Amino acid sequence: MPSSEGWTSWSSGNTRLDRTLRLIHRGHAPVRHFGPRPLIEDGSVRSRASTLVNGTLGYDFGNGLRLAVEAFNLLDEDASDIDYYYESRLPGEAEPVEDIHFHPAEPRSARLVIEWRY
């Protein structure tokens, strides 16, 4: 079966703001795109394309302390992390049905990271 047709882009940056305090600005914004991909061998059933954009912005204080904000699914895309095509039967259904089953991507969210290395 052909592999996923997609690409991943990663961009990051580091900027030293103050040599005395060794304060370092860090950021990156990974982009993950998967194009429509076959879910069965003959290619007659394909998944939808999906693009997810995440981002991180933070500071390294140089004494082992790092603060960052990580954001996920910045564009709030209605996408799936993975897709499958198989037969399933829900309660109350007389016969099994072939359909696409998926794991949805996380909704737009953020988290604060406080890290101390000693």
Side-chain angles (χ1 to χ4, degrees):
M1 193 145 122
S3 62
S4 292
E5 300 164 11
W7 51 265
T8 300
S9 172
W10 185 273
S11 62
S12 64
N14 293 326
T15 306
R16 187 171 302 281
L17 298 178
D18 186 326
R19 288 184 182 266
T20 306
L21 296 177
R22 296 182 55 197
L23 187 64
I24 301 173
H25 165 264
R26 293 183 180 262
H28 63 269
V31 177
R32 185 197 78 182
H33 173 78
F34 290 125
R37 52 217 177 269
L39 297 178
I40 57 177
E41 290 181 5
D42 67 5
S44 62
V45 178
R46 299 176 68 81
S47 66
R48 293 184 317 149
S50 66
T51 302
L52 296 176
V53 179
N54 301 320
T56 300
L57 186 61
Y59 292 99
D60 284 347
F61 289 94
N63 58 359
L65 181 64
R66 178 176 81 97
L67 298 174
V69 174
E70 297 177 342
F72 305 96
N73 196 0
L74 287 170
L75 304 177
D76 203 22
E77 292 292 322
D78 182 22
S80 59
D81 278 334
I82 191 164
D83 301 294
Y84 301 99
Y85 184 79
Y86 58 87
E87 187 177 84
S88 66
R89 183 175 163 197
L90 296 173
E93 291 181 338
E95 296 294 323
V97 176
E98 291 183 338
D99 201 1
I100 296 175
H101 301 268
F102 61 92
H103 181 272
E106 295 293 325
R108 182 183 308 149
S109 58
R111 68 179 170 207
L112 176 65
V113 177
I114 302 171
E115 180 180 285
W116 180 48
R117 294 182 182 208
Y118 53 94

